[in-house]
Amino acid sequence: SIVAARTFNGCKKLKTIQNLDKTNLTQIGYGAFMNVRVEHFYIPDTVRLNTSSTYNMQYAFARNSSLKSISMPAPFYLYSSQTYMLAYCPNLETVEFRTIEGATIRDERSALPANIFNSDQGLKELDLSAYDKADNSAATFNLSDSEFTNTALTDLEVIKFPKNRPVSIGTSTFKGKHFTSLEGWENVKSVTSIGTNAFSSSRLTKADLSEWTGLTWIGETAFRNCESMTELVIPENVTSIGSAAFKNCDNLKTVTINPQLEDAKANVV
């Protein structure tokens, strides 16, 4: 069964869709549930991605001011055609991508669609842990700034990274974001690199990366202008720190760094 393009678009009094999780739904069309007022969506495991312009799920759940949470099967939701799928949902707090037993994720599904969380100011928890079951678990999962356009992420508390797959936090991914802590983030040992400007000008008060044991590279200006940061811990496996990585962190008081990282010390501040 399918929900065709724009099927419920503009049904602003629609608050409940009963038994959606019990259906054999296979396709969801462009803007199918856009501009409704449903608080929670549970998308059944039977849904399969169709890359046609009709059923590519672009804007599928967008512009829903009441949406608070959504759970969807992981292997079918990582294509560029799905841009803005959850955009303009200012009260969206929790996003879960579920593992489907017996299913694997093809290697090219290595990043979220652009603008998937555009203007989603209330996001608190993002669960990406299902994406560790790729055909080739060595294929890096990439986060970038394009997924979090026009949102300050003020309330962000938890990101659950894939547990058994390398993760790259790319250039400017969290630049200027307003969350203050990384303490609730899970599976951080999977993160292997932090890109240029990745956390620059953010409101982090502390960057204790001691549990980020897979981290080997911190890019140029990665934490520059984090004026609220008072403490920094760099894990032992880091072998490269780019220039001005922590420049202008005016309130930084304590730094713990691998003593063997002689060549990078000059780039810490």
Side-chain angles (χ1 to χ4, degrees):
S1 59
I2 65 172
V3 179
R6 301 182 177 89
T7 297
F8 298 104
N9 187 356
C11 297
K12 295 184 177 180
K13 292 188 177 181
L14 179 59
K15 296 181 179 181
T16 304
I17 301 177
Q18 296 181 350
N19 298 323
L20 181 64
D21 59 324
K22 299 177 182 178
T23 67
N24 291 319
L25 182 67
T26 59
Q27 305 290 334
I28 297 177
Y30 177 105
F33 297 101
M34 187 163 62
N35 285 309
V36 300
R37 295 296 179 263
V38 176
E39 291 188 3
H40 307 284
F41 275 104
Y42 187 96
I43 309 305
D45 291 351
T46 50
V47 170
R48 298 294 185 269
L49 177 72
N50 188 317
T51 56
S52 73
S53 59
T54 304
Y55 298 112
N56 63 9
M57 295 184 64
Q58 189 175 23
Y59 286 97
F61 308 98
R63 300 188 184 280
N64 180 350
S65 60
S66 297
L67 183 61
K68 292 183 178 180
S69 69
I70 186 166
S71 176
M72 58 184 71
F76 313 107
Y77 290 84
L78 286 181
Y79 280 91
S80 60
S81 61
Q82 296 162 287
T83 56
Y84 297 95
M85 184 170 61
L86 296 167
Y88 310 111
C89 298
N91 294 304
L92 178 61
E93 297 180 353
T94 304
V95 178
E96 177 192 35
F97 294 94
R98 300 191 310 276
T99 300
I100 299 178
E101 187 173 353
T104 58
I105 300 166
R106 287 157 54 187
D107 292 343
E108 64 266 28
R109 293 174 180 154
S110 59
L112 295 170
N115 290 292
I116 185 172
F117 302 118
N118 191 319
S119 302
D120 293 348
Q121 302 295 345
L123 191 63
K124 289 184 178 181
E125 181 173 338
L126 175 59
D127 188 350
L128 303 171
S129 58
Y131 286 104
D132 66 351
K133 295 192 175 181
D135 289 343
N136 177 4
S137 60
T140 300
F141 187 91
N142 301 287
L143 283 180
S144 74
D145 62 326
S146 66
E147 291 104 56
F148 305 102
T149 308
N150 298 321
T151 175
L153 297 178
T154 303
D155 298 321
L156 184 65
E157 297 175 356
V158 177
I159 295 181
K160 297 180 182 179
F161 293 113
K163 188 175 182 179
N164 299 306
R165 188 177 183 183
V167 174
S168 172
I169 298 178
T171 299
S172 301
T173 299
F174 298 113
K175 181 180 180 180
K177 303 308 183 186
H178 291 184
F179 58 85
T180 59
S181 176
L182 305 174
E183 291 183 6
W185 294 21
E186 299 182 17
N187 302 328
V188 292
K189 66 175 184 175
S190 298
V191 178
T192 59
S193 63
I194 296 176
T196 301
N197 281 323
F199 291 94
S200 66
S201 301
S202 68
R203 296 188 181 179
L204 283 174
T205 58
K206 180 180 180 180
D208 184 350
L209 306 178
S210 57
E211 295 185 6
W212 298 48
T213 54
L215 184 65
T216 61
W217 182 78
I218 298 175
E220 295 181 0
T221 63
F223 292 84
R224 184 174 64 178
N225 297 327
C226 291
E227 297 179 355
S228 299
M229 189 162 63
T230 60
E231 182 178 348
L232 167 65
V233 180
I234 299 174
E236 292 186 359
N237 288 337
V238 171
T239 57
S240 176
I241 298 178
S243 62
F246 300 93
K247 185 176 181 179
N248 295 334
C249 295
D250 294 344
N251 289 298
L252 187 59
K253 297 178 181 179
T254 304
V255 176
T256 304
I257 189 171
N258 180 2
Q260 298 179 3
L261 195 58
E262 297 294 339
D263 293 339
K265 285 185 179 179
N267 295 328
V268 173
V269 292

